[in-house]
Amino acid sequence: MMRDEKLIFEKSVEGRIGYSLPENDVPKVDLEAFYPVEMLRKTAPELPEVSEVDVIRHYTNLSKRNYGVDSGFYPLGSCTMKYNPKINEDIASMEGLAQMHPFQDPQSAQGNLEILHNMDKYLSEILGMERVTLQPAAGAHGEMTGLMIIKAYHMHRNDSKRVKIIVPDSSHGTNPASAALAGFEVVHIPSDERGCVDINALENILDDTVAGLMLTNPNTLGLFEEDILKISEMVHGCGGLLYYDGANMNAIMGIARPGDMGFDIAHVNLHKTFSTPHGGGGPGSGPIGVVKELVPFLPVPVIEKVNDSFVLDYDRPLSIGKVKSFYGNFGVILRAYSYIRTMGAQRLKEASQTAVLNANYIRKKLEDFYEIPYNRICMHEFVLSAQKQAQNGVTALDIAKNLLDAGIHPPTIYFPLIVHEAMMIEPTETESPETLDNFIGIMQGLAVKAQDDPESLKNAPKTTYVSRLDEVKAARTPVLRWKK
Amino acid sequence: MKSSYIPMTRQQQEAMLSAVGVESLDELFSAIPEDLRLKTDLNLPKPLSEHELKKHMNMLAQRNSDACENSCFLGAGVYDHIIPSAVKHIISRQEFYTAYTPYQPEISQGVLQSIFEYQTMISELTGMDAANASLYDGATALYEAVLLASRFNGRKEVLVARSVNPEYRKVLHSGLKYSGITIKEVDFIREENNSDGKNGTIDLEQLQGELSKDTAAIAIQSPNFFGILEDIKALSQKVKEVGALLIAVCDPISLGVFESPGELGADIAVGEAQPLGNPMNFGGPLLGYFAVKSPLLRRMPGRIAGETTDSQGRRGFVLTLQAREQHIRREKATSNICTNQALCALAAVSYLSLMGKEGLKEVATQCINKSVYTYRSLLETGKVSQVFNAPFFREFVVKPKIKPNVLNKALLAEKIIGGYDLTVEYPELEGCWLVAVTEKRSVDEIDDFVDKVNSICQGGGYK
Amino acid sequence: MEIREGLYYSKDHEWVRVEGNRAYVGITDYAQDSLGSIVYVELPTEGKELPKGEVLGVVESVKAASDIFSPISGTVVEVNQALADNPELINESPYENYIAVLSFEKTDELNELLSPAQYKELTEGE
C-alpha cells in the first residue's frame, strides 16, 4: 500500500471545491455596509481547497491506519470495549429522532422525551436507584455531577465542614480530578493485601469532615469489594455519602445492584457497559442515578410524565443547576436505549456472566506465565504484572508494543498505579473462545520470548504504519497544528 | 433466545468453566454476599428483535415533529445547517467510530491525524495559536476557560455578559458554585431608539465599573445570544488595563466572514462547533472547541494531539502534554475530562475539508442574506416590531404582536418550528422572539414562514 | 544515583546549596531518573514569597508532572531561565542546574533538612 503522508491541507489546490450548496435565492447583503468594516475578516482562514474525492480518499486512508473493535480484539481493562451493535447506529441516524431541536415545544418532541424518561426508568432499575439524570456527557462528567450533589446535600444540611472526599489508591484518575474540581480535598486510602479497601485505614480517617467515599465495585483490580456492606455502614455512620463509579458495571448487570450495596449515587458509562461506540475518544454519556433523598438535587430539567405527556420540569429549587447545555448526549443515549431494548433483562445478565467467565479463563491460562498479584476468582477484568519480564528488560510497554505487531490492541498498561508493570485485561462478553485462545497463545509466546530472547522484543512495533513515536519531542517542543 | 452479540455457546461455556476450575457461573460470583445477589430478573421490557425495534422506534418518531418535515427557524445555540453527505460516510468508517482513545499511537494514526487537522482548522478559524481535541460542548468549554483564567492569574472574579447564552451561564453558575470564583453578570444596552449599533451589546460603562484587579477574565459571546456582534477589540483593551484575560465565545460558521477573536485580542476562544457537520441531535452530542494563545498552551485542559517523528524519522502524531491530565496528575490535573467528543470533531474536520475556504464563506454569507431578508420581510408585515437596531449574524430578535409561545404553537400546525421565546430568560425582553435562518432555508420556506406569521398574528392567535 | 556532598536534601528529592543567605534549589539525580526525560519546567516568578513546603514549581516528563516543594521559606530572587528552552539540562546535570534561588532568613529550617547520608538512606529505602 502506497504511503500517503500528506495532511489534508497539503493536498489543497486553489479553486478546487468539495461542496454542494443551493444557489443564493434572496437579495445579497452588502457586508461592508451592514457590518462595521473592522469586524470583517481580512484574510480567509487557511482551510483546504479539495474535492469530495480528495476528502473521501484522505479520510478513508486515514481510517485504514486505525484499529477499532470492528477490526479485532480490544482487551482494554476498565474500558469495556464490547462490540457496538449496528442496529444501534441505524436507530441513532433516524432523522425523525435525530433532526430535533432541544428547544422546540416539548409537545412536539414527545417521542424523544419518552426515550429519555424510559432510560431514566431502565437505568434506575439496573442500578437500584430511585431516579437517573442523563445530562452528564461522560463518566468523568457524571462523577463531577455526583460530587456536586454530595456538596449540595451537605450544604443543605448546613454542614459545611465536610470538605473531604476519600478515594482508593487504585482509583481511576478521574475520581480525584473530579473531586478536586467539585471543590473537595482528596484523601487517598490504601488497598489491603487482598487488593481491596483497607477497612482499618478507612476507619481511621472517617470523621465528620468526610463528605463521601468514591468506590468502583468491582474495583480497578477486577475484584469485588466483599466488605461493601460494612463500608457502606461505616461511611453512612459518620454522615458521609457513598459514590459508585460505574465503570465496571459490566461485571454485575442483573446480578447485583449498587443501590442494594448501599451506594447513594452511581454513574454508568453508556460507552462502556451499554455498547455505544467509543468514537476514537467520544462522544460518551455518563448518566447518574441517585437514591430518593438526593432526587431534589438532580440537575434540571427532569423529564416527568404528567397525565399522558412528557414534560420538562425546571421547577426544582434544590437542584444543582445544569452541568451541560440541554439534556445530555441524546444521540449516545439513543444507542444505549436501543441496546437495552434489544437485550432485555436476561441477556444483560448473560452478558455480565460471560464477561466474568471470559476474564477468568484468560487469567487461568496466563497465571503460569505472568505474575498475577491478586490471583483469585476475578470479575470482568484482572490485572497481571510484567515484573518478571521486566527483570529481563522486557517491560509492560514492550509487551504492549509487540501485541500491536500481532494485530491486537494491547490491554491497559501502567494502571492501576498500585501494581508495578501493570497490564489490565478486560475481554468482555462479545469475544469468542477462539479469540481468547488466540490472545492467550500470543501472550504466552511473548512471556517465553521475554525469558529466552528478550532482545527480540525490544523496539516493537515493527509492522505498524509508524514505529515507536518520540513522545519526549512531542512534549518538549509541542507542534499542535499545521502552518502553511 | 441467544444474543447475537455473545458468541460463547452452551457447550463452550462448559469447557471454559472447567478450565477456570469452577462448577457453575454462579460460583464465579461467590465473592458477592448472598444478600446482594438478585433473586429475580431485572424489571425491564422483553427484548425486541431488530425488526421489532425499528417498528418501535418508528412509532416513537411519529410523536416528534422533526426538522426534516418541518422548517426550522429555531437556533439559540444549536443550528440546522446543511450537512454534506460525505460527512456521514466518513464518520461511519468503523475503524474510526469503534476505536478507543488513541493511547497506542502506532495503530491510531487515523484518529490522531484527523485530530491534528481539526486542531489546525479551529486554530485558523479563531486566529489562535493552538486548540485542543474538543470538550463536551460550548457551555462546558466556557466553564473550563474560566477555570484556566482564574488559575493562571490567581484572581477570583469573572465578568460575564448577560448576552452570553443562558445555558452557558447556568452551567458556569452550577460549576463554579463552590470554587471560590465569583461571577458578576454585566447587562446589555437596551435603548429604544438607539442607532449606533450598540443596542443589544454589552454595557461597557457598567463593565468598566465592575472591572478591577480581582478580575480574572471577561467572558463575551460574539455573535451573542441575540445574534448581535460584540466589540471584542474594545474588550481586549479593557482587560489589558487590569491584566485580566479575555474569553471570547464565537460561532465557528460566523468566523468564515468575521474577524477572528485571536486577531481582535482574545486570549482564549471557545464555543459550540455543532454547526460544523453535526446534526442537532436534540441537544447532544455537541462539540465544544477550545483554543488559546501560546502563553496558555500548557494549561489547556483535555486531550491534545501533537506532531512528532517515529524511530525512522517519519512524521507521526501522538497525544501530548498528557502529564497535566487526570490519568497522571489526578487531583492536580488541569481538568477531569477523559472521554471527549472525538467523532463529532471528525465530523467537523470532514465538514471543513469539504466546505473549504470558499464553502464556509458561502454558508456564512447565505446565512446573512437569508436572515436579513427574513428580518426585513417580517418587519414589513407590520405584525412584528424591531427590538435591537444592531448588525446581526444568522439570528435576530423581533417582537411579534402575539406571544411567541402562542405563535410557535400555531406555526407548528403549519409545519414550521418557530423561534426562541426570550421571555423566561430575559424578563426585560418579554414577548420577544429570537429567530434563526440558516443557508438551509430556501426563499420559499422563508416567504411561507413570513406569510404564516403575518396571518397568525392577524387572527390574533390560534387558527 | 549520585548524591553530592555539601548539599542539604529534602524528603521530596530536592537539593539545597547555601551561599550566604541565598539558597539554590534543584532536584536530585534520583528525582530526574524517576521522572524520565524532562519536557518542561514551570519556573516560579521572581519576587514570589514561598513558605516552606509550598509549591515552588513543576517539573514535567512525558509520564509524570512533579510538584517541587520549597524546602525552606524564602523569596525567589532568581530563576534558571536556561531551563525554559532546555529542560533536559536537569536530566544531564541535576546538581549543576538549579531551578530557582531563594533569599532566606530562617537558618534553623536548614536543620530540618537531610544530610547526604540521611538522604542516601531514604533513597535506598524506596
Side-chain angles (χ1 to χ4, degrees), chain A residues 17 27 31-32 38 46 52 56 58 65 85 99 113-115 128 153 156 200-201 258 289 302 325 336 338 442 453:
Chain A
I17 65 152
L31 295 181
E32 298 193 350
E38 62 273 14
E46 203 54 61
E52 182 177 316
I56 289 289
H58 180 79
R65 294 176 218 162
Q99 291 285 20
L113 292 177
E114 181 168 341
I115 290 165
Y153 167 81
H156 181 65
N200 292 322
V302 171
S325 43
S338 171
I442 293 168
D453 187 10

Side-chain angles (χ1 to χ4, degrees), chain B residues 298-299 321-324 328-329 332, chain C residues 40 42 58 60-61 63-65 67:
Chain B
R298 288 183 184 269
R299 293 174 176 269
L321 301 183
Q322 288 188 73
R324 298 234 160 211
I328 292 175
R329 202 79 162 106
K332 294 189 180 165
Chain C
Y40 181 70
E42 190 179 293
V58 185
E60 267 181 57
S61 67
K63 58 177 179 170
D67 285 330

Side-chain angles (χ1 to χ4, degrees), chain B residues 285-297:
Chain B
L286 301 175
L287 180 57
Y289 78 78
F290 196 103
V292 298
K293 294 268 170 73
S294 327
L296 302 175
L297 197 80

Side-chain angles (χ1 to χ4, degrees), chain A residues 158-190:
Chain A
N158 291 313
D159 190 349
S160 54
K161 54 179 170 4
R162 294 195 182 259
V163 294
K164 297 190 195 130
I165 287 285
I166 306 172
V167 303
D169 54 7
S170 59
S171 69
H172 194 276
T174 53
N175 289 176
S178 304
L181 270 186
F184 289 108
E185 258 174 57
V186 176
V187 178
H188 282 90
I189 36 161

